[in-house]
Amino acid sequence: MGIVLKQSFKNTVVTFIGFAFGAVNTLFLYTNILDSKYYGLVTFILATGAILMPIMASGAHNALVKYYSAQTDRSKNGFFTLILFSPLLVILPLTLLVWWAHTAIGDFLSIKNALVKDYLWYLFLVGVAMAYFEVFYAWSKVHLRSVFGNFLKEVFGRICASILLVLLYLDIITLDFFLKGIVGIQLLRTLLMKFYAYSLHRPVLSFKFPKEAKTIVGYGLLMVVGGSVALVLLEIDKVMINQFKALENVAYYGVAVYIATSIIVPARAMNQITYPLTANYLNEGNLFELENLYRKTSLTAFIASGILFVLIVLNISDLFLMLPEEYRDGFSIIALIGVAKVLDSLLGNVNAILYYSEYYKWVLVLGVCFAAVTILLNLWFIPLYGIEGAALASFISIFLFNLSKLIFIKLKFGFFPFSKATFKVLATLLLLLALFNMLQFPFHPIVNIVLKSILIGAMYLGILFRFEISEDVTGLLSKWLRRRED
């Protein structure tokens, strides 16, 4: 776990920096500078682009991670060329489809909000940019160099958005330029990722593809389903709210979901390095190390995501005081999505094990079923309960999908991620919730959040260290304390 901890730590730092900029954007700049209707439009554009991303990438980024370690030096150029051109198999026909059916697609998306129709190509370009970004990002991850890509993914775009928002506030740019700039950020980020990936291994175009080229492309196309399922579970709620409610509701929902999504930050950072390692262990047939990685990623991610959930729940009243009034009614959304994100973290690198193993086809079938369940639940709950219904639909779908993955791994591999340490962490988190639930400081909300977070964090780390609940966390804290003593 040495390289995992080292890269994960760097990625976590970078991701939290990105989250800090994102929090400023989401909670303060967007909510105070941009009309909620246009904030909802931006959220809709990015969410739709994210859903289109796996389709346009044609699974090339997944195939790159799965098959890279099996390539010889002679076959790598052909392999990289195959990966580079695979997305075009989907992007080119999709471009023709959008051009031909532009009016029909626009009319469908603008049933409730006519504004959306004018920005159809924005959705498409964001999807293309995100697709090739993931391809080049995977390119760097297989070389175990994920930090710069993580910086571009988590920090760069948010800094650029902050700049655009400030320029818009100062009337230096127009609203139309701002919306074009949001798309431009995605395109620029992809170019920078490409240059970095090529600096690690610049491919020589070779159309002498590996012998298993059909298998690689076929796997990638199947993973379109897998990637789409994952993003349907994450983003479809924002898209479907647009079909039933005014565009402003997408903005209100997006703010609440952003707060809850911070819970998954450490797990996302860790996954940048554990996914390639998982693929290597599967290719080597090293099930002992695979199970060890599964257990450790589960515990480490739960330790991090669990405390973030506790901090959010205990500080949410102060945080709401800093938001415009119309954004303050999202506690139930934050609670539901937050628990769902903790459950995601609790399963560690389960997605990598499933998608890079021989059982990926079965998982895709399960995923399609749960994606359909998500859509049906949203169709049912959003008209009844509004944006809270979207959160409930997401929670039920994510819970059931994670439960099915947990059972599947146990049946096929015999692995189970939980241990006594898992339940010790759970007990500690419940204890913190009970102890600090009634604690309120009479200061400014920011001061209250900082003070309470320091107290909770210190107590949490103290318990983890004192009872040696996680050897990785204990080892990290021990090294830090030794440095302080020296």
Side-chain angles (χ1 to χ4, degrees), residues 46 56 121-133 136 152 156-157 160 179-195:
L46 295 177
M56 292 180 166
W121 282 110
Y122 287 40
L123 313 178
F124 183 83
L125 289 174
V126 168
V128 171
M130 288 182 172
Y132 264 106
F133 177 86
F136 294 125
L152 289 177
F156 176 78
C160 291
L179 294 170
K180 287 183 170 66
I182 292 296
V183 178
I185 289 170
Q186 299 297 321
L187 296 170
L188 177 59
R189 189 184 66 158
T190 301
L191 284 176
L192 293 174
M193 190 69 247
K194 172 187 174 180
F195 295 145

Side-chain angles (χ1 to χ4, degrees), residues 60-69 138 141-142 275-276 279 283 356:
H61 55 303
N62 298 110
L64 177 54
V65 174
K66 178 174 175 62
Y67 291 102
Y68 172 77
S69 61
K141 283 192 282 189
V142 296
Y275 273 38
N283 288 337
Y356 300 139

